[in-house]
Amino acid sequence: MAENAGEEFSVVVLASDLGVDARSLLSPAERQAAADDDENVVWHDCHAHLIADEDFSDLEVLRAFRLEGFDKAGNRILRIVGKYFPALIISGERLKRYVFHKFFTELQEGPFCILYTHSTVQSEENNPGMSIMRWIYEELPSGYKERLQIVYFLHPGLRSRLVLATFGRFFLSGRLYWKIKYVSRLQYLWDDIKKGEVEIPEFVHKHDDLLEHRPLTDYGIEPDPFHLTEVPAMEYSLGRYENKWSSRTYM
């Protein structure tokens, strides 16, 4: 103890909230060793909202969100089928985690687009709500927002158009609002996406045929609710029975 009493030493105290890089206090040899260790570390981009090893198999089987081919501009297609999504039983929080899981595992790089099919969607059963969709979009990292090039909105209908035109600028980010492209028919979708690049469900084809033959349905008007136009025409000839009908005298 007496021999060490004359040796000089120093103590450096750092506040935990100053954010000082402790490597500046290392010797050159120690810094090099730390740098070599950093090169061997594999970093994974994990978002705070994700739960490690969360099981999304119940949502995957619905096929509501599915990665498909590419549009003609070279953007990867994320197909969303609104009719497949059970909004009544899936919370907005879990939907957000599932969307982030899809993005972080299957859309790690490159530009992409969204094809949303609104065919036969029931607002009460299939629509999670505009506020939830905005919340999910705003929570995405900025890199994903920039990589999203366009949103193809297939079979929007009059109500969706009016809602987005009236409230879209308030509830959706400006950058997202101007990326929406309305597509009223499948034949117009093929102008931007080559046939075969994306799987279109059969009920979407049937709905498209219905709109083609009854264009007023696009505007929420059902011109023939009882489908009378589908009944075969029937012609009656009354003249051939005139001689067989006897006139009656009523008192």
Side-chain angles (χ1 to χ4, degrees), residues 108-234:
Q108 297 179 353
E109 58 183 15
F112 69 96
C113 64
I114 293 177
L115 169 60
Y116 170 66
T117 62
H118 193 65
S119 319
T120 71
V121 164
Q122 302 296 323
S123 298
E124 300 80 8
E125 299 178 3
N126 310 120
N127 191 351
M130 189 179 296
S131 59
I132 292 181
M133 292 187 289
R134 176 190 178 182
W135 173 49
I136 294 175
Y137 177 80
E138 294 298 337
E139 290 286 330
L140 281 174
S142 58
Y144 284 90
K145 298 176 185 177
E146 295 173 358
R147 288 164 47 201
L148 175 59
Q149 303 300 309
I150 188 172
V151 178
Y152 301 105
F153 197 132
L154 179 62
H155 296 154
L158 179 63
R159 180 179 179 180
S160 299
R161 288 176 181 266
L162 290 177
V163 170
L164 288 176
T166 306
F167 304 106
R169 300 185 186 184
F170 301 100
F171 285 94
L172 299 178
S173 169
R175 289 184 297 178
L176 177 61
Y177 178 82
W178 295 111
K179 290 180 180 180
I180 298 176
K181 180 177 182 179
Y182 298 107
V183 184
S184 59
R185 298 289 187 276
L186 281 173
Q187 61 176 333
Y188 304 130
L189 180 66
W190 307 140
D191 293 339
D192 298 294
I193 301 177
K194 185 178 179 181
K195 287 186 178 182
E197 287 291 331
V198 60
E199 180 183 352
I200 303 296
E202 182 62 28
F203 78 91
V204 177
H205 285 281
K206 292 182 178 179
H207 185 71
D208 194 76
D209 292 338
L210 174 66
L211 295 178
E212 188 66 25
H213 292 89
R214 298 178 186 170
L216 290 179
T217 308
D218 245 345
Y219 304 97
I221 301 174
E222 176 55 76
D224 183 20
F226 299 104
H227 309 292
L228 298 179
T229 56
E230 299 176 2
V231 177
M234 301 178 66

